[in-house]
Amino acid sequence: MTASLPILDRGNCEPLKAAVHGLSFGLVALMGLYNAAAWLRRRDRHLAINAVLYGCAMAWEHRLVSHHIAACRLGTCPDVQSARPIAPALKRVA
């Protein structure tokens, strides 16, 4: 028995995926900044290694956020396509 979750498919829930990776980016950035600051203070090798690894993780998360946002901008995101813009509706009323 297999469960089908729409979020696992390409092109579905792209804004949600971008938000999750954005939160991950923020957390990784915070941890990287802490390790870099701690390394500047104590010069422990593991802090420098952690700072570099968190820097790489930041680059990876940035790439993933950009990928999900690009999917929405290119029109491959059904979540965004189904949303109607509010501004044209307001212009018709006035």
Side-chain angles (χ1 to χ4, degrees):
M1 187 169 152
T2 60
S4 176
L5 294 173
I7 195 168
L8 300 178
D9 294 332
R10 185 178 309 202
N12 288 341
C13 306
E14 294 296 326
L16 176 62
K17 293 174 188 177
V20 169
H21 285 291
L23 288 172
S24 179
F25 176 83
L27 182 60
V28 168
L30 182 64
M31 292 186 292
L33 287 172
Y34 164 77
N35 278 277
W39 177 78
L40 289 172
R41 179 81 171 195
R42 300 193 314 241
R43 302 291 184 182
D44 292 339
R45 182 188 307 175
H46 75 279
L47 295 171
I49 292 170
N50 287 348
V52 170
L53 290 176
Y54 285 127
C56 293
M58 283 173 51
W60 179 254
E61 289 298 333
H62 180 269
R63 180 189 173 279
L64 292 174
V65 170
S66 299
H67 168 77
H68 292 301
I69 291 173
C72 290
R73 287 187 180 155
L74 291 174
T76 61
C77 182
D79 299 335
V80 175
Q81 289 176 354
S82 64
R84 296 183 70 192
I86 296 173
L90 292 177
K91 289 179 183 177
R92 281 184 270 165
V93 172

